[in-house]
């Protein structure tokens, strides 16, 4: 199983980015998918989750600015990030597992390698 995240980069505050995560080696449509982020010295935190059926949930800090979506035909999950803030700067990781594990951030089966998002003020 491989989760390949991409789309990170440097953007000014107020700008936008779209992250992508392509999954191979698993039945993508059967998995719930999540995006997490981590900054140095802090625990990895859940940003957004989407179920196999398309239900979504977001961290309060990104509600109204970020949108998670998936394309099962392309085995890809996306994170559209708008109105970016300097505090969104982090390494972003995609993950695949059951909803409960993703929400708890524990015992997650599969992780991507991370993509760095830097938001300048």
């Amino acid at each position: 199983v491989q989760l390949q995240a991409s789309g990170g980069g440097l953007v000014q505050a107020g700008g936008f980015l779209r992250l992508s995560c392509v999954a191979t080696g698993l039945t993508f449509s059967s998995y719930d998918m999540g995006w997490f982020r981590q900054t140095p010295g802090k625990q990895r935190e859940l940003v957004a989750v989407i179920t196999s059926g398309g239900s979504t949930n977001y961290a309060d800090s990104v509600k109204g600015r970020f949108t998670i979506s998936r394309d099962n035909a392309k085995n890809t999950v996306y994170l559209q990030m708008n109105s970016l803030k300097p505090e969104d700067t982090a390494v972003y990781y995609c993950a695949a597992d059951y909803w409960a594990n993703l929400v708890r951030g524990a015992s997650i089966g599969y992780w991507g390698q991370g993509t760095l998002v830097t938001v300048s003020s």
Side-chain angles (χ1 to χ4, degrees):
V1 174
Q2 211 172 18
L3 302 180
Q4 183 71 40
S6 63
L10 174 64
V11 64
Q12 287 189 330
F16 63 90
L17 285 173
R18 188 175 82 155
L19 306 183
S20 300
C21 174
V22 179
T24 57
L26 52 74
T27 306
F28 179 78
S29 59
S30 298
Y31 278 81
D32 303 327
M33 300 295 296
W35 284 99
F36 292 75
R37 66 187 180 187
Q38 189 171 25
T39 54
K42 291 189 176 181
Q43 281 192 327
R44 198 170 293 188
E45 65 170 349
L46 179 65
V47 175
V49 183
I50 185 166
T51 68
S52 58
S55 297
T56 59
N57 197 16
Y58 297 91
D60 288 343
S61 59
V62 307
K63 279 181 182 176
R65 300 188 298 122
F66 290 11
T67 302
I68 188 170
S69 62
R70 65 190 297 157
D71 184 338
N72 289 339
K74 295 182 178 180
N75 286 5
T76 302
V77 61
Y78 303 98
L79 186 67
Q80 178 68 42
M81 306 186 294
N82 297 331
S83 302
L84 282 161
K85 304 175 180 180
E87 51 264 43
D88 295 319
T89 295
V91 177
Y92 284 71
Y93 300 88
C94 57
D97 209 301
Y98 294 113
W99 172 278
N101 289 344
L102 293 171
V103 170
R104 288 187 295 115
S107 304
I108 291 174
Y110 306 109
W111 288 100
Q113 87 288 2
T115 185
L116 176 63
V117 172
T118 304
V119 184
S120 63
S121 57

